[in-house]
Amino acid sequence: MPFYETVFIARQDLSATQVEDLTKQFSDLITNNGGKIVKTESWGLRTLAYRIKKNRKGHYVLMELDTPAPALLEMERNMRLNEDVLRHISVRMDELSKGPSAILGGDRSNDNDFDKEAA
């Protein structure tokens, strides 16, 4: 099955437990349609670059998936219909990442390579 990375932004007035419930709801959609959740990261409440639907902040959540395309499309359809989701994006990946995402301070290998070239 192909690998996907999905990031969605939930409204700022939701509590952390409501965001977890929303993430669980989307995870259940994937697993019920034959997919697998590889990694889920909550990036917390972050400031948006511009206002979206009168919100200045949003709860960011990253999900890495090993799922068939129809399951991903169903999850995206539910995200579009859900009023708590401000934005979402899904990207197909060649391979899954190792360790935490760059937002959480992981995968600094590219930074080290750049430093070595500059020296």
Side-chain angles (χ1 to χ4, degrees):
M1 283 187 279
F3 303 120
Y4 296 96
E5 181 177 80
T6 299
V7 176
F8 70 90
I9 306 172
R11 291 184 310 145
Q12 66 185 358
D13 56 343
L14 296 178
S15 68
T17 55
Q18 288 174 314
V19 175
E20 288 175 15
D21 291 341
L22 194 60
T23 305
K24 181 161 177 20
Q25 176 185 350
F26 296 139
S27 298
D28 290 344
L29 261 169
I30 293 294
T31 55
N32 291 341
N33 288 312
K36 185 172 77 171
I37 308 298
V38 178
K39 177 170 60 172
T40 303
E41 290 181 359
S42 178
W43 294 344
L45 188 65
R46 302 173 65 92
T47 304
L48 301 173
Y50 52 89
R51 271 202 258 175
I52 302 173
K53 299 180 186 174
K54 300 182 181 177
N55 290 282
R56 292 185 183 272
K57 294 185 176 199
H59 294 275
Y60 283 69
V61 178
L62 166 82
M63 299 169 68
E64 286 191 7
L65 314 168
D66 182 8
T67 184
L72 180 74
L73 292 174
E74 179 64 20
M75 183 183 74
E76 288 181 335
R77 186 184 75 80
N78 279 287
M79 285 183 177
R80 278 194 304 275
L81 294 174
N82 195 321
E83 294 178 358
D84 292 333
V85 177
L86 299 176
R87 291 282 191 276
H88 69 276
I89 187 168
S90 296
V91 179
R92 185 172 175 164
M93 301 177 359
D94 292 331
E95 61 183 33
L96 296 171
S97 65
K98 298 172 182 75
S101 65
I103 298 293
L104 295 181
D107 195 19
R108 295 201 164 265
S109 61
N110 293 340
D111 293 343
N112 293 337
D113 291 342
F114 180 74
D115 291 341
K116 290 176 187 174
E117 291 174 8

